[in-house]
Amino acid sequence: MNSTERELLQLIEKNGRLETTTIAKLMGISEEETKQILEKLEKEKVILGYSAIIDWTKGTEEGAVTAMIDVKVTPKRGVGFDKVAERIYRFPEVKAVYLMSGVYDLSVSIEGKTMAEVGRFVSEKLSTIDSVISTTTHFILKKYKHDGLVFSDNDEDKRIVVSP
């Protein structure tokens, strides 16, 4: 990956809604070159998708319950943790799965409508997988910051925080 591609990725990572004309101007390249780079990175699956960060606590009575689940597993011979992780990430409730260092092997992020729904997922789906030894569930009580965005009622706090 060259520096132009890296710069473009950094721009759209912070704001996926930037138009190609804006990206081109910010980077000092042509709009055609910008489109070609985006197409290349999408084809190579460097860019996997574009999404919005939504504060679901605003304007709705319905809020999703998010949980982070630490999962201890027995890795499978020849494939390690990959097959177990794949089995877990195929559940529609699962938003993310990470291989971790430390006491637990996998960290699983899931969403449900209620704590009871999350509990049922853990007891009926996750913990019944052969390789799963144990789980520890942590419920997200409040989001303060996610993907560089501060969740706050203070307008001064609502800005993208850019790392140096």
Side-chain angles (χ1 to χ4, degrees):
M1 178 179 306
N2 63 41
S3 61
T4 304
E5 292 169 343
R6 187 172 283 109
E7 182 182 354
L8 185 144
L9 289 171
Q10 289 170 337
L11 284 171
I12 64 170
E13 182 179 39
K14 299 299 179 198
N15 184 353
R17 293 186 64 185
L18 285 175
E19 300 204 15
T20 54
T21 53
T22 305
I23 296 169
K25 286 178 186 173
L26 289 169
M27 294 181 57
I29 60 176
S30 72
E31 187 175 355
E32 185 57 37
E33 185 179 357
T34 302
K35 287 178 184 178
Q36 288 174 354
I37 294 170
L38 284 168
E39 287 172 6
K40 174 183 179 273
L41 295 172
E42 288 168 354
K43 183 178 179 185
E44 292 175 351
K45 299 208 183 299
V46 175
I47 299 172
L48 298 174
Y50 302 87
S51 62
I53 299 170
I54 299 165
D55 186 350
W56 288 106
T57 64
K58 305 286 186 199
T60 179
E61 297 291 319
E62 306 166 20
V65 175
T66 304
M68 298 297 294
I69 306 166
D70 298 329
V71 184
K72 190 166 188 120
V73 302
T74 303
K76 298 282 187 186
R77 183 179 302 271
V79 293
F81 297 100
D82 294 347
K83 285 293 180 192
V84 181
E86 181 180 345
R87 181 129 184 244
I88 293 169
Y89 71 60
R90 292 194 180 278
F91 289 113
E93 300 90 339
V94 174
K95 300 301 174 197
V97 179
Y98 305 99
L99 179 61
M100 306 297 288
S101 63
V103 178
Y104 288 90
D105 303 307
L106 299 173
S107 180
V108 179
S109 173
I110 75 161
E111 284 186 4
K113 291 180 181 168
T114 64
M115 285 185 171
E117 186 178 283
V118 171
R120 277 192 302 280
F121 170 82
V122 173
S123 65
E124 296 172 10
K125 294 181 179 178
L126 186 59
S127 64
T128 60
I129 296 172
D130 289 337
S131 299
V132 172
I133 298 168
S134 66
T135 64
T136 303
T137 304
H138 309 274
F139 287 97
I140 306 290
L141 302 177
K142 182 177 181 179
K143 282 186 187 179
Y144 292 99
K145 186 176 181 179
H146 181 81
D147 281 348
L149 292 175
V150 175
F151 283 61
S152 171
D153 289 331
N154 182 348
D155 286 336
E156 290 181 22
D157 287 340
K158 291 184 179 178
R159 61 184 176 275
I160 297 174
V161 179
V162 180
S163 302

